[in-house]
Amino acid sequence: MSLGEPRFSGVVPPLVTPLTPSGEVDVPSLERLVEFLVEAGVGGLFALGSSGEAAFLTDRNRDRSLETVVRAAAGRVPVLAGCIETTTARVIERAEIAAKLGADAIVVTAPFYARVHPVEVDRHFRAVKASVGLPMLAYDVPVSVHTKLAVDRIVALAAEGVVDGLKDSSGDDAGFRQVVLGTAGLPGFSALTGHELVVDAMMLAGAHGVVPGLGNVDPHGYVRLSRACAEGRWSDAKAEQDRLTRLFRIVEAASPATAGGSTRGLGAFKTALVLRGVIAGATVSPPMRELTPEETSVVAAHLEKAGLL
Amino acid sequence: MSLGEPRFSGVVPPLVTPLTPSGEVDVPSLERLVEFLVEAGVGGLFALGSSGEAAFLTDRNRDRSLETVVRAAAGRVPVLAGCIETTTARVIERAEIAAKLGADAIVVTAPFYARVHPVEVDRHFRAVKASVGLPMLAYDVPVSVHTKLAVDRIVALAAEGVVDGLKDSSGDDAGFRQVVLGTAGLPGFSALTGHELVVDAMMLAGAHGVVPGLGNVDPHGYVRLSRACAEGRWSDAKAEQDRLTRLFRIVEAASPATAGGSTRGLGAFKTALVLRGVIAGATVSPPMRELTPEETSVVAAHLEKAGLL
Amino acid sequence: MSLGEPRFSGVVPPLVTPLTPSGEVDVPSLERLVEFLVEAGVGGLFALGSSGEAAFLTDRNRDRSLETVVRAAAGRVPVLAGCIETTTARVIERAEIAAKLGADAIVVTAPFYARVHPVEVDRHFRAVKASVGLPMLAYDVPVSVHTKLAVDRIVALAAEGVVDGLKDSSGDDAGFRQVVLGTAGLPGFSALTGHELVVDAMMLAGAHGVVPGLGNVDPHGYVRLSRACAEGRWSDAKAEQDRLTRLFRIVEAASPATAGGSTRGLGAFKTALVLRGVIAGATVSPPMRELTPEETSVVAAHLEKAGLL
Amino acid sequence: MSLGEPRFSGVVPPLVTPLTPSGEVDVPSLERLVEFLVEAGVGGLFALGSSGEAAFLTDRNRDRSLETVVRAAAGRVPVLAGCIETTTARVIERAEIAAKLGADAIVVTAPFYARVHPVEVDRHFRAVKASVGLPMLAYDVPVSVHTKLAVDRIVALAAEGVVDGLKDSSGDDAGFRQVVLGTAGLPGFSALTGHELVVDAMMLAGAHGVVPGLGNVDPHGYVRLSRACAEGRWSDAKAEQDRLTRLFRIVEAASPATAGGSTRGLGAFKTALVLRGVIAGATVSPPMRELTPEETSVVAAHLEKAGLL
């Protein structure tokens, strides 16, 4: 049996959404970010994911963000659009807009806020898939939706053609490997890990690509890492991953006494992009807060050590 | 210091949103539900809460639902409007619409999906409150938002005038009591429990009112219960609560093998309202499912035993 | 049908285990504590519960503690003995020792550390009960064992005669009420709440008694509260409970930056007992720590405000 | 700085404890298991871990199990002894016995049942280490103790010489990698992953060895896998790991409707060892249950497919 190629592979960064000081999408900065990533050699762009502040943006700003990414990508790489909403009807609304705005695929989580059974999660994915003609990746992100997608259900939905890939941010590497094994014969299925500190390990285990938040900041590093894996240069891959793992400590810059996980991650990525001259400002959506000057200097020190300033 | 009365008290049912078979708001059924509740003597109506399928409805249907409740209530009792959205800017959009549609108060949860620090949760409530002129109740519902509001923070926000009440669906009765004690001197503060099986107990502990999902089905029972408490007839209250506690087992009708918590609760409430002749159909939003005929007959048996058919 | 009386009722404090500075059981202090509680009018003594540091004491010290409580109680009130162990065979060993040392009942949790199915939890209770002739209370304490006992299973085990009572430290008051309703006809069944801040509420809901950690510190208050409930003087009960709820803030004296829940609770109870002259020292087992002088003065201030110094 | 070798490396299986039908340690079976593993080329033996039913065995059976393993190993490979107890004093008792019985190292978890602060967890490890002269591995197993050890704390304790290694069963591969990086310069420190389905991945990331429950069943496979990793034959390693990942599905043989995680895992391992002729019986400790004949045939089918029957 010929396996076919995965539809999406390599580095697919979940783009941050640069904002103006008043909280509007900073379109020129977002265009520069797209350019920065595409030139680095990424394999796709994931707009409106958790890193894109999808849960923070109004619908108007979600639309502006996606529309900008699609336009700036200009067909050079595929654009995946997060459709992050609580339940089925609301996700379908977002999926229809994503299709209209030119996304190449949608990325969909299990329902959240609602309390649903695995059987209902299946029904959710089926209904969303049926609503639009686009490829759909299941987005497994229990830290946000508080539901873990079971291996066997993902594999079954893949076999049925309901889900065309997995974006795994669950941290469950053993489960991810089991999905990879279980979907091995499915043409086009894309197994993408979001576990950005073990990309070498997960590509050894069979991942087709990675969706690294830190890839906003150092796309060149992730592209080198991904290529080393693809070429079987595992010790090169490990060395690159170790370097990126150290760089990841920028997410510890913001004080845990006053900043939640979203602020610590997104705030640091945006701050680093400002320091690297890619985007204009590090504004984040409320109730998150921007990093302080002191925290910013911690980020700068990490960038410097990594040779990125 | 004169304590003043709580702004909201007595039974404030979180209205279900009746739907047509195609998933639109069934306006005549919703009007009949409002009438049924107001005539039973409730102290207010809570639209677009978890029981109102706020997390399932599109914005258009949310608007239609709230607009219907406000119109049907016709000023006889206050209408509280849930503004159930992931983060600050999105909640503010909903709050502005609630104000425009004539709600008397808004009900707001901590952010969800996003990962936020308690300091950020405070900022969230402050920003939402600042955005509209309406009274705001904090809605503590960790089963859905996966964050518990801390007693001391609620009390501090209340003292500052940021939150004007609490709708406590956390199940943490000891914490609720501590909020009651901590806000005792604040004029107008409304401490409402959502813990519908221990209303006698919580009113003894100082609750001003209750927001019972089951109150859709048997508002007369909850009104009797609430009045018995208000008049210090505690053994009458206990007897009524015990009866309602038995009735609550309707939420166990739907099989846990195929139905999540939302289906089991909302599906049963809607089914019971159909059986009682209040609403036309028991349709629920996807990915939930309607109760089967067999499950419906379990609900009917409970209603019969409770003298409600 | 005649209901019979619950076997255990009223205030059944979970005794702390006073320790010498070197960590041995301080027998004279424990004897004084028993005297203090019995004279206050408690309905029973619960030795080797969570408050008794059962999880911290070596088997030798567990034995010494229980043996002292039984001897000092001298048959004036029943002694319940916690058998806090990971799984069945280990619990049975403790249960046999409890029987030998003269306990009147055993108190048993679901297995912990092990990952077990509800069916296995049932088997656990059946095997332990079969091993000794003593009455057995199920101890529902998910904060420690990370398993919640389901209402229907407790009721079924009670109906079968496997469990003779429930010590509910789950905080799930609605579930507790359902157990009370479900076991109403069972002679001797004892429904004891461990929810020490809502005793008035839970006794209104049908609890037979309470197991309050704070009852070590102010047994007279809990006895007054329990009697007010028994006599239907609900507003007296509420006033007493409100006073005890304020006193409970002694558990916030130890800094959350350096003390876990066990230290904060047990450390405060022991410190208060030293301040009240009942026990000689506030030593706690490692890795807990004793309260600092500053924290001790916070406890003292609360005691003073409550009229206990 | 010379890095030195890790003290423990390669495959270190957590031995199951074979039991007679009456629940005593089956000494001859345990001796055969030790022989089976040592001959396969393992790098050490981990007795009295979670797989060894440490949480299920009485102290007498714990001693008998450890004593048997030490004697049968006869110094050919080091023996690590789990000291699985709730808190400090109880762990120290077990550690002293382990030392007396000839263990080469102890393996210690964070406290459980008790509610402790990270500062108290540190104190726990320091006190245990100070009590015996043996090397100590921290055992990170949140699924059982419900506490996750933080990367920075493990690294700090390692730098101080308190912990000499990590046995990581947390499933947090990114954290594990950070520990590996943080302890890189510490002579003798042993980073062992318990994540048995991603051993290739974790050894690429820097693990020194693995503690696989499934290693009881197929030690030869894990030894091949470990050697392939050590020699940089990564695609051989991946192929072997993929085979073992498929074999791991034996843990799904027992029905999730009647068996908890402990039964499903340990029951399957023991059943497979009986089928492979290594141990005499598949008895497990109560409240677990043995696999049914039907479930056993599922295990047999997996073994057959893996070429192990």
Side-chain angles (χ1 to χ4, degrees):
Chain A
M1 177 193 210
S2 143
L3 300 194
E5 290 294 299
R7 196 186 299 262
F8 307 108
S9 62
V11 180
V12 184
L15 280 76
V16 300
T17 301
L19 299 174
T20 65
S22 67
E24 297 300 310
V25 177
D26 174 351
V27 171
S29 284
L30 183 50
E31 290 169 343
R32 281 197 302 276
L33 176 59
V34 168
E35 214 51 39
F36 178 63
L37 299 174
V38 171
E39 285 183 356
V42 301
L45 300 170
F46 175 28
L48 296 180
S50 304
S51 294
E53 294 179 48
F56 294 87
L57 301 178
T58 60
D59 284 350
R60 195 169 52 86
N61 276 338
R62 287 173 174 178
D63 294 353
R64 194 161 302 177
S65 181
L66 177 56
E67 172 182 282
T68 302
V69 173
V70 170
R71 181 166 32 76
R76 293 174 290 174
V77 294
V79 174
L80 293 71
C83 299
I84 309 293
E85 269 293 348
T86 43
T87 58
T88 312
R90 295 182 64 86
V91 173
I92 288 176
E93 281 196 346
R94 296 305 312 164
E96 287 169 347
I97 289 169
K100 215 184 67 189
L101 294 178
D104 298 289
I106 57 174
V107 184
V108 174
T109 72
F112 50 96
Y113 190 93
R115 292 171 296 136
V116 292
H117 188 276
V119 163
E120 296 173 322
V121 176
D122 277 14
R123 198 150 57 218
H124 174 71
F125 282 118
R126 284 199 185 90
V128 174
K129 173 72 176 186
S131 75
V132 289
L134 293 177
M136 178 173 76
L137 279 78
Y139 184 4
D140 194 17
V141 60
V143 73
S144 286
V145 306
H146 303 277
T147 299
K148 172 82 185 81
L149 300 177
V151 167
D152 287 347
R153 292 191 168 269
I154 298 170
V155 170
L157 290 170
E160 260 188 70
V162 175
V163 305
D164 304 285
L166 171 66
K167 194 274 192 198
D168 180 25
S169 295
S170 72
D172 175 9
D173 294 338
F176 181 75
R177 180 181 215 118
Q178 289 173 307
V179 170
V180 168
L181 288 176
T183 56
L186 299 174
F189 188 87
S190 307
L192 309 180
T193 180
H195 215 175
E196 56 202 320
L197 304 192
V198 289
V199 177
D200 51 349
M202 288 303 97
M203 290 191 85
L204 176 59
H208 302 118
V210 58
V211 185
L214 187 63
N216 283 282
V217 176
D218 190 4
H220 304 85
Y222 274 99
V223 168
R224 281 193 301 272
L225 164 54
S226 169
R227 287 184 185 157
C229 294
E231 296 165 9
R233 293 181 285 107
W234 295 107
S235 69
D236 291 354
K238 174 186 158 45
E240 190 68 46
Q241 178 67 82
D242 283 348
R243 192 185 62 81
L244 289 163
T245 300
R246 286 189 200 96
L247 176 61
F248 190 72
R249 300 210 97 159
I250 61 173
V251 309
E252 297 168 17
S255 167
T258 56
S262 295
T263 291
R264 302 187 86 201
L266 306 187
F269 296 157
K270 287 188 162 180
T271 298
L273 283 166
V274 170
L275 289 167
R276 297 203 70 189
V278 179
I279 68 174
T283 301
V284 288
S285 303
M288 293 188 287
R289 67 165 174 81
E290 208 167 325
L291 268 57
T292 64
E294 192 172 69
E295 292 165 350
T296 298
S297 69
V298 173
V299 173
H302 281 293
L303 289 175
E304 195 137 83
K305 215 183 309 176
L308 298 177
L309 272 196
Chain B
M1 177 192 210
S2 143
L3 301 195
E5 291 294 299
R7 196 185 299 262
F8 307 108
S9 62
V11 181
V12 184
L15 279 76
V16 300
T17 300
L19 299 173
T20 65
S22 67
E24 296 301 310
V25 176
D26 175 351
V27 171
S29 283
L30 184 49
E31 289 170 343
R32 281 198 302 277
L33 176 60
V34 168
E35 213 52 39
F36 178 64
L37 299 174
V38 171
E39 285 183 356
V42 300
L45 299 171
F46 175 29
L48 296 180
S50 304
S51 295
E53 293 178 50
F56 294 88
L57 302 179
T58 60
D59 284 351
R60 194 170 53 85
N61 275 339
R62 286 173 173 178
D63 295 352
R64 194 160 303 176
S65 181
L66 177 56
E67 171 182 284
T68 303
V69 172
V70 169
R71 181 166 32 76
R76 292 174 291 175
V77 294
V79 174
L80 292 72
C83 299
I84 309 295
E85 270 293 350
T86 43
T87 57
T88 311
R90 296 181 64 85
V91 173
I92 288 174
E93 281 196 346
R94 296 305 312 163
E96 287 169 347
I97 290 170
K100 214 184 69 189
L101 294 178
D104 297 290
I106 57 174
V107 184
V108 174
T109 73
F112 50 96
Y113 191 93
R115 293 172 295 135
V116 292
H117 188 276
V119 163
E120 296 172 322
V121 176
D122 277 14
R123 198 151 56 218
H124 175 71
F125 282 119
R126 284 199 186 92
V128 175
K129 174 71 177 188
S131 76
V132 288
L134 292 178
M136 178 173 77
L137 280 77
Y139 184 4
D140 193 18
V141 60
V143 74
S144 286
V145 305
H146 303 277
T147 299
K148 172 81 185 82
L149 300 177
V151 167
D152 287 346
R153 291 190 169 270
I154 298 170
V155 170
L157 290 170
E160 260 188 71
V162 174
V163 306
D164 304 284
L166 171 67
K167 194 275 191 198
D168 180 26
S169 295
S170 72
D172 176 9
D173 293 338
F176 180 76
R177 180 181 214 118
Q178 290 173 308
V179 170
V180 168
L181 288 176
T183 56
L186 299 174
F189 188 86
S190 307
L192 308 180
T193 179
H195 215 177
E196 56 202 319
L197 304 192
V198 289
V199 177
D200 51 349
M202 288 303 98
M203 291 191 85
L204 176 59
H208 302 119
V210 58
V211 186
L214 186 63
N216 284 282
V217 176
D218 190 4
H220 303 86
Y222 274 100
V223 168
R224 279 193 301 272
L225 164 54
S226 169
R227 286 184 184 156
C229 294
E231 297 164 8
R233 291 182 285 108
W234 296 108
S235 70
D236 291 353
K238 174 186 159 46
E240 190 68 46
Q241 178 66 82
D242 282 348
R243 191 185 64 80
L244 290 163
T245 299
R246 285 188 200 96
L247 176 61
F248 190 73
R249 302 209 96 160
I250 61 173
V251 309
E252 297 168 17
S255 167
T258 57
S262 296
T263 292
R264 301 187 87 202
L266 306 187
F269 297 157
K270 285 188 163 180
T271 299
L273 283 166
V274 171
L275 290 166
R276 297 203 71 189
V278 179
I279 68 175
T283 301
V284 288
S285 303
M288 293 189 286
R289 67 164 174 82
E290 207 166 326
L291 267 58
T292 64
E294 193 172 68
E295 292 165 352
T296 298
S297 68
V298 173
V299 173
H302 280 294
L303 289 176
E304 195 138 81
K305 214 184 308 175
L308 297 179
L309 275 196
Chain C
M1 176 192 212
S2 144
L3 301 195
E5 290 294 298
R7 195 186 299 262
F8 306 108
S9 62
V11 181
V12 184
L15 281 75
V16 300
T17 301
L19 299 174
T20 65
S22 67
E24 296 300 311
V25 176
D26 175 351
V27 173
S29 284
L30 184 49
E31 289 169 344
R32 281 198 301 276
L33 176 60
V34 169
E35 213 52 40
F36 177 64
L37 299 174
V38 171
E39 285 184 355
V42 301
L45 300 171
F46 175 27
L48 297 179
S50 304
S51 295
E53 294 178 50
F56 294 88
L57 302 179
T58 60
D59 284 350
R60 195 170 53 86
N61 276 339
R62 287 174 174 176
D63 295 352
R64 194 161 301 177
S65 181
L66 178 55
E67 173 182 282
T68 303
V69 173
V70 169
R71 181 167 31 77
R76 291 174 292 176
V77 294
V79 174
L80 292 71
C83 298
I84 309 295
E85 269 294 349
T86 42
T87 58
T88 312
R90 296 182 64 85
V91 173
I92 288 175
E93 281 196 346
R94 296 305 313 164
E96 288 168 347
I97 290 169
K100 215 183 70 189
L101 294 178
D104 297 290
I106 58 174
V107 184
V108 173
T109 72
F112 51 96
Y113 191 93
R115 292 172 296 133
V116 292
H117 189 276
V119 163
E120 296 172 323
V121 176
D122 276 16
R123 198 150 57 219
H124 174 71
F125 282 119
R126 284 198 186 91
V128 174
K129 174 70 177 189
S131 75
V132 288
L134 292 178
M136 178 173 77
L137 280 77
Y139 185 4
D140 194 17
V141 59
V143 73
S144 286
V145 305
H146 303 276
T147 299
K148 172 81 185 81
L149 299 177
V151 167
D152 286 347
R153 292 191 168 268
I154 298 170
V155 170
L157 289 171
E160 260 188 68
V162 174
V163 305
D164 303 285
L166 171 66
K167 194 274 192 198
D168 181 25
S169 296
S170 72
D172 176 10
D173 293 339
F176 180 76
R177 179 180 215 119
Q178 289 173 307
V179 170
V180 168
L181 288 176
T183 55
L186 298 173
F189 188 85
S190 307
L192 309 180
T193 180
H195 215 176
E196 56 202 320
L197 305 192
V198 289
V199 177
D200 51 349
M202 288 303 98
M203 291 190 86
L204 176 59
H208 302 118
V210 57
V211 185
L214 186 63
N216 283 281
V217 175
D218 190 4
H220 304 86
Y222 274 99
V223 168
R224 279 193 301 272
L225 164 54
S226 169
R227 287 185 184 156
C229 295
E231 297 165 7
R233 292 181 285 109
W234 295 107
S235 68
D236 291 353
K238 173 185 159 43
E240 189 69 46
Q241 178 67 81
D242 283 348
R243 191 185 63 80
L244 289 163
T245 299
R246 286 189 200 96
L247 176 61
F248 190 72
R249 300 210 98 160
I250 61 173
V251 309
E252 297 168 17
S255 167
T258 56
S262 295
T263 292
R264 301 187 86 202
L266 306 187
F269 296 157
K270 285 187 163 181
T271 298
L273 283 166
V274 170
L275 290 167
R276 297 202 69 189
V278 179
I279 69 175
T283 301
V284 288
S285 303
M288 294 188 287
R289 68 164 174 81
E290 208 167 323
L291 268 58
T292 64
E294 193 171 69
E295 292 165 352
T296 298
S297 69
V298 173
V299 173
H302 280 295
L303 290 176
E304 195 139 80
K305 215 183 309 176
L308 298 178
L309 273 196
Chain D
M1 176 190 213
S2 144
L3 302 194
E5 290 294 298
R7 195 186 299 262
F8 307 107
S9 62
V11 180
V12 184
L15 280 75
V16 300
T17 301
L19 299 174
T20 66
S22 67
E24 296 300 311
V25 177
D26 175 351
V27 172
S29 284
L30 184 50
E31 289 169 344
R32 281 198 301 277
L33 176 60
V34 168
E35 213 52 38
F36 178 64
L37 299 174
V38 171
E39 285 183 356
V42 301
L45 300 171
F46 175 28
L48 297 180
S50 303
S51 295
E53 294 179 48
F56 294 88
L57 302 179
T58 60
D59 284 349
R60 195 170 52 86
N61 275 338
R62 287 173 174 178
D63 295 351
R64 194 162 300 176
S65 182
L66 177 56
E67 168 185 285
T68 303
V69 173
V70 170
R71 181 167 31 76
R76 293 174 291 175
V77 294
V79 175
L80 292 71
C83 299
I84 309 294
E85 270 293 349
T86 42
T87 58
T88 312
R90 295 181 65 85
V91 173
I92 289 175
E93 281 196 346
R94 296 305 312 163
E96 288 169 346
I97 290 170
K100 214 184 69 189
L101 294 178
D104 298 290
I106 57 173
V107 184
V108 173
T109 72
F112 51 97
Y113 191 92
R115 292 172 295 134
V116 292
H117 188 276
V119 164
E120 296 173 322
V121 176
D122 277 15
R123 197 150 57 218
H124 174 72
F125 281 118
R126 285 200 185 91
V128 174
K129 174 70 175 188
S131 76
V132 288
L134 293 177
M136 178 173 77
L137 279 78
Y139 185 2
D140 194 19
V141 59
V143 73
S144 286
V145 306
H146 303 276
T147 299
K148 173 82 185 79
L149 299 178
V151 167
D152 287 347
R153 292 190 169 269
I154 298 170
V155 170
L157 290 171
E160 259 187 72
V162 174
V163 305
D164 304 284
L166 171 67
K167 194 274 192 198
D168 180 25
S169 295
S170 73
D172 175 10
D173 294 338
F176 181 75
R177 180 180 215 119
Q178 290 173 307
V179 170
V180 168
L181 288 176
T183 56
L186 298 174
F189 187 86
S190 307
L192 308 180
T193 180
H195 215 177
E196 56 202 321
L197 304 192
V198 289
V199 177
D200 51 349
M202 288 303 97
M203 290 190 85
L204 176 59
H208 302 118
V210 57
V211 185
L214 187 62
N216 282 281
V217 175
D218 190 4
H220 303 86
Y222 274 100
V223 167
R224 281 193 300 272
L225 164 54
S226 169
R227 286 185 185 156
C229 295
E231 296 165 8
R233 293 181 285 109
W234 295 108
S235 69
D236 291 354
K238 173 185 159 45
E240 190 67 47
Q241 178 68 79
D242 282 349
R243 192 185 62 80
L244 289 163
T245 300
R246 285 188 201 96
L247 176 61
F248 190 73
R249 300 209 98 161
I250 59 173
V251 309
E252 297 167 17
S255 166
T258 57
S262 295
T263 292
R264 301 187 87 202
L266 307 187
F269 296 157
K270 286 187 163 182
T271 298
L273 283 167
V274 171
L275 290 166
R276 297 203 70 190
V278 179
I279 68 175
T283 301
V284 288
S285 303
M288 293 188 287
R289 67 165 174 81
E290 209 167 322
L291 267 58
T292 64
E294 193 172 69
E295 292 166 351
T296 298
S297 68
V298 174
V299 173
H302 281 294
L303 289 176
E304 196 139 80
K305 215 182 311 175
L308 298 178
L309 272 197

